[in-house]
Amino acid sequence: MLIKTVATLAVRGSIAKRWCTASNPLRTFATSETPVVAPNQELQLTYLTEEDKQGIAVLGLNRPKARNSFSKSLVTQLLEAIDVLAHDKNVRVVILRSLVPGIFCAGADLKERATFTPQEVSRFVSKLRQMMVNIEQMPTPVVAAIDGAALGGGLEMALACDMRVVATNAKLGLVETKLGIIPGAGGTQRLPRILNPAIAKELIFTARQFSGEEAKALGIVNHAVQPNEAGDAAYRRAIELAMEIVPNGPVGVRMAKKAIDKGLQVDIGTGYAIEEACYAQVIPTKDRLEGLRAFAEKRKPNFIGE
């Protein structure tokens, strides 16, 4: 049975109501970064509407009693929300954050997993891995804002994002070997692509936890910021980063992401061919012509994503 709840918030001086169900994320429109969270809602999808933030969508994890761990329902909601965002041409940057103070994501919900049969575990991990791949393959840039612990699958999810911003006091780690398993949602593949493989192996083999400051020194994250009283310093820095991306040509950004991601998987010669194919897709766009006109007229371009 579907359980419906309603959330209300001010949008440009009016009150907007958005219905949500137990199986779908709440979608809201916000004029500030302060989220409005529906009771018992594990995931919230928010579209920022302030003029300089339009085009930024925020996915907020909200399982406080379970430290944002991955349950069946949360993974399903994430898959649905990612699919919505991937097909929304108005979205230019996605930020993945936690709405729970002190935690980004603690990985798998071990209490729930203890009730699974081996076959159910295999199916769940496969679905979780697909969710990570879908984040990685989002056409728009995805930024992880890590204001609390990101452990196991939580760090794997952050690694699936294009960029990562972390609070210096946050704890990170691929801790799966302590449980007799391995990072099973892409961690063994993504971390060695970011780090020297020997360093990645050390972190995985030892299950070592490290701080956000250490993560920046290692090159795992783009930015490490000092925590603030509100506990959202990484999220605020992620907003600033997103605001640097939003004004740029959305087709160009998407094609640049595709060229980089696809090129990393092949030899350099094939990578050049991929880049050429991606460049060919921006040549006939209205945005390219607008960029040229804006440059000649010494003004900011008005890109429409076409």
Side-chain angles (χ1 to χ4, degrees):
M1 180 179 72
L2 292 179
I3 303 173
K4 292 186 178 181
T5 60
V6 66
T8 63
L9 66 162
V11 179
R12 292 176 178 170
S14 64
I15 297 296
K17 294 185 178 181
R18 298 288 162 183
W19 290 96
C20 65
T21 70
S23 61
N24 290 310
L26 173 68
R27 301 181 198 176
T28 64
F29 296 82
T31 55
S32 72
E33 293 86 5
T34 303
V36 177
V37 185
N40 303 317
Q41 194 66 33
E42 295 185 338
L43 183 68
Q44 178 173 290
L45 171 55
T46 302
Y47 298 89
L48 303 188
T49 59
E50 291 178 302
E51 186 175 353
D52 55 352
K53 297 183 179 70
Q54 289 182 11
I56 301 174
V58 181
L59 275 175
L61 305 176
N62 184 45
R63 295 193 74 212
K65 293 182 180 179
R67 305 184 77 225
N68 287 343
S69 58
F70 293 120
S71 62
K72 277 185 176 181
S73 61
L74 180 57
V75 172
T76 297
Q77 289 181 47
L78 279 164
L79 281 166
E80 292 174 354
I82 292 162
D83 184 62
V84 168
L85 292 169
H87 291 89
D88 189 341
K89 291 186 178 180
N90 293 318
V91 173
R92 300 192 180 185
V93 184
V94 175
I95 296 176
L96 180 60
R97 67 171 301 199
S98 168
L99 302 180
V100 181
I103 185 72
F104 177 71
C105 176
D109 187 333
L110 297 181
K111 290 183 179 179
E112 182 185 69
R113 186 173 291 189
T115 68
F116 291 175
T117 66
Q119 292 77 19
E120 287 174 326
V121 171
S122 180
R123 287 194 296 269
F124 174 77
V125 173
S126 179
K127 190 174 182 179
L128 180 62
R129 187 181 299 113
Q130 185 59 53
M131 185 267 290
M132 305 288 190
V133 170
N134 289 1
I135 291 175
E136 188 174 51
Q137 294 181 350
M138 282 275 292
T140 54
V142 184
V143 184
I146 308 168
D147 277 300
L151 302 173
L155 179 53
E156 291 185 87
M157 180 168 60
L159 293 173
C161 298
D162 297 290
M163 292 160 282
R164 287 158 290 281
V165 181
V166 67
T168 54
N169 64 342
K171 291 296 181 183
L172 295 80
L174 295 178
V175 297
E176 287 87 346
T177 55
K178 282 189 175 181
L179 299 173
I181 56 176
I182 70 170
T188 62
Q189 302 304 304
R190 293 189 182 96
L191 193 61
R193 295 171 191 267
I194 296 172
L195 300 179
N196 179 316
I199 302 298
K201 288 178 180 179
E202 179 179 340
L203 294 176
I204 292 171
F205 296 166
T206 62
R208 183 181 303 146
Q209 294 186 32
F210 46 93
S211 69
E213 192 170 10
E214 291 172 306
K216 178 64 171 68
L218 287 167
I220 296 174
V221 303
N222 298 70
H223 303 278
V225 295
Q226 292 296 318
N228 59 12
E229 290 186 7
D232 64 352
Y235 173 63
R236 291 185 178 278
R237 181 65 183 90
I239 288 283
E240 293 174 359
L241 181 58
M243 288 170 62
E244 291 186 67
I245 298 170
V246 164
N248 299 327
V251 178
V253 171
R254 289 180 181 218
M255 287 300 103
K257 173 175 175 172
K258 187 173 184 179
I260 293 167
D261 289 350
K262 297 293 184 183
L264 285 172
Q265 302 172 29
V266 297
D267 63 87
I268 188 68
T270 306
Y272 289 146
I274 291 171
E275 180 185 74
E276 183 178 13
C278 290
Y279 195 95
Q281 293 185 57
V282 304
I283 291 175
T285 64
K286 295 177 182 178
D287 280 355
R288 185 183 71 87
L289 298 177
E290 166 63 10
L292 292 173
R293 284 193 296 267
F295 179 79
E297 296 168 9
K298 298 181 180 179
R299 60 172 173 82
K300 292 182 178 181
N302 180 28
F303 294 120
I304 59 174
E306 295 178 4

